[in-house]
């Protein structure tokens, strides 16, 4: 890729059902000239990961250059996840891409929004779209700067059936100039189409990408894992939060920050113009006034009088650039229902990776949540971790394989079960390359 990057994709699958799942995996390259098929049977309870899937499963030569779309069909439900990353001699810098079904699609004639995009000396943005349907579709992408004015030209993507297209460095190709903070709108023009879209914002100094997916509007949202503090291995964690107001009237955001042990609670307001976007960089210092040398982390509650689009990025700040991860803005629809077992796939613990697991309580009362680590063979690793979550608070267990006495695991997953009726809880893993300090967020599915 650009700047000497070397891109690879790992794909993981978990069968948490009671019967074996027969899987068919179809890879179609970017221009549709090659389609490869593989099959795999995944026993009940077990997990598998295909590192560098195009060479590891589809047997492309290690010297080959190929990119495209992977379509997975199964006879029983499985949980799927992927990570695409820049492979370097010192480790990896990666981003998660979700496994997509029709429920993830933008309806035809609907405009989706991808926020927290930028084009600066330190960052560039790619924007892509995936056609989840069996007929070609046309998608139009427009870029907007901080004031809400359109920047540059319209980008049109004509997507063949079941295919993916990406416009690299879209601000340059669209003649949109430099933008410190911006957003994109994605309009699906074809009737009956099913399309998903995203932005990939890449730190040009480190080659580290962050996936920013289409996000819906909320009038109240929780953002977990807001941080300004040092971490393991010399990491320095910071959080930027962005908001987009696509409405025709200006509004004021109310932001309530509660630190990790609830000893500090602060409220701030931020104006946001019509059609405009704003980014709060390292917001715990820039907005909430904590000192640059202070260590704080916690939960952010954002409230608006009308619906807005919210995103956040938490990253390791180094002298060479940033290595970051996306955290979504959470509403009730993101919650794991009580009594349901959710799965967090693609976890690992070895000399190169560690895993943190966090849970966010969106309820007004305390909630109990059980987290279990499961090996590739379907057997539990170590002991169950029970989170006792106070109302509207976030807790994270760092290096959970160590604290759960689970040992090492090249491929593993976690199960998450909400034990308190009526509880609204979201959970995730943060898988960190200890060589680079780069994290990847994997939500419970």
């Amino acid at each position: 890729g650009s700047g000497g990057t070397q891109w690879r994709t790992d794909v993981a699958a978990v069968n948490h059902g009671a019967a074996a799942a027969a899987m068919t995996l179809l890879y179609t390259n970017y221009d549709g000239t090659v389609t490869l098929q593989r099959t795999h049977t995944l026993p009940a309870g077990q997990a598998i990961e295909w590192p560098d899937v195009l060479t590891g499963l589809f047997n492309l030569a290690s010297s080959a250059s190929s990119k495209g779309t992977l379509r997975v069909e199964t006879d029983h439900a499985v949980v799927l996840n992927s990570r695409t990353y820049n492979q370097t001699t010192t480790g990896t810098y990666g981003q998660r891409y979700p496994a997509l079904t029709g429920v993830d699609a933008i309806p035809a004639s609907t405009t989706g929004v991808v926020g927290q995009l930028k084009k600066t000396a330190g960052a560039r943005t790619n924007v892509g779209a995936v056609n989840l349907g069996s007929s070609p579709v046309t998608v139009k992408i427009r870029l907007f700067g901080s004031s809400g004015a359109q920047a540059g030209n319209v980008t049109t993507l004509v997507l063949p059936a079941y295919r993916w297209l990406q416009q690299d460095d879209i601000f340059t190709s669209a003649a949109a100039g430099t933008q410190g903070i911006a957003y994109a709108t994605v309009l699906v023009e074809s009737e009956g189409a099913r399309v998903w879209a995203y932005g990939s914002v890449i730190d040009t100094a480190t080659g580290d990408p962050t996936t920013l997916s289409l996000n819906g509007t909320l009038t109240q949202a929780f953002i977990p894992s807001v941080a300004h503090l040092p971490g393991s291995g010399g990491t320095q964690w910071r959080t930027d939060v962005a908001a987009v107001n696509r409405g025709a009237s200006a509004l004021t955001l109310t932001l309530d920050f509660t630190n990790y042990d609830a000893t500090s609670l602060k409220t701030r307001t931020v104006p946001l113009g019509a059609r405009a976007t704003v980014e709060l960089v390292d917001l715990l210092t820039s907005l909430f006034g904590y000192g640059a040398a202070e260590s704080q982390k916690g939960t952010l509650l954002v409230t608006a009088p009308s619906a807005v689009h919210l995103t956040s990025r938490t990253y390791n700040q180094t002298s060479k650039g940033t290595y970051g991860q996306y955290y979504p803005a959470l509403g009730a629809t993101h919650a794991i229902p009580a009594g349901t077992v959710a799965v967090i796939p693609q976890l690992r613990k070895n000399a190169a990776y560690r895993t943190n697991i966090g849970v966010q309580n969106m309820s007004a009362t305390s909630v109990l949540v059980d987290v279990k680590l499961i090996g590739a063979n379907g057997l539990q690793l170590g002991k169950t971790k029970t989170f006792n979550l106070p109302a509207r608070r976030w807790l994270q267990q760092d290096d959970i394989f160590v604290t759960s006495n689970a040992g090492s695991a090249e491929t593993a997953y976690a199960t998450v079960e909400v034990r308190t009726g009526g509880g609204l809880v979201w959970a995730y893993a943060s898988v960190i390359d200890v060589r680079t300090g780069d994290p990847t967020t994997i939500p419970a599915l």
Side-chain angles (χ1 to χ4, degrees), residues 155-171:
T155 299
T156 300
L157 300 179
V158 180
L159 300 165
Y162 302 124
R163 293 262 297 286
W164 155 73
L165 294 177
Q166 178 174 285
Q167 180 56 66
D168 293 345
D169 201 357
I170 192 169
F171 285 86

Side-chain angles (χ1 to χ4, degrees), residues 167-256:
Q167 180 56 66
D168 293 345
D169 201 357
I170 192 169
F171 285 86
T172 297
S173 65
T178 298
Q179 302 289 338
I181 184 64
Y183 65 94
T185 62
V186 182
L187 174 63
V188 181
E189 293 194 327
S190 306
E191 289 301 320
R194 298 185 299 162
V195 171
W196 181 79
Y198 66 93
S200 178
V201 179
I202 300 168
D203 186 310
T204 54
T206 63
D208 176 56
T210 301
T211 304
L212 294 155
S213 62
L214 284 166
N215 60 329
T217 56
L218 295 165
T219 55
Q220 186 176 77
F222 290 87
I223 297 176
S225 193
V226 175
H228 176 97
L229 79 169
S232 177
T235 50
Q236 293 288 333
W237 298 101
R238 306 289 184 261
T239 297
D240 302 343
V241 172
V244 176
N245 174 19
R246 285 289 296 165
S249 301
L251 53 80
T252 299
L253 303 172
T254 300
L255 297 92
D256 297 295

Side-chain angles (χ1 to χ4, degrees), residues 275-288:
R275 313 293 186 193
T277 184
V278 65
E279 184 175 40
L280 307 168
V281 177
D282 191 9
L283 85 164
L284 292 188
T285 60
S286 65
L287 181 66
F288 288 98

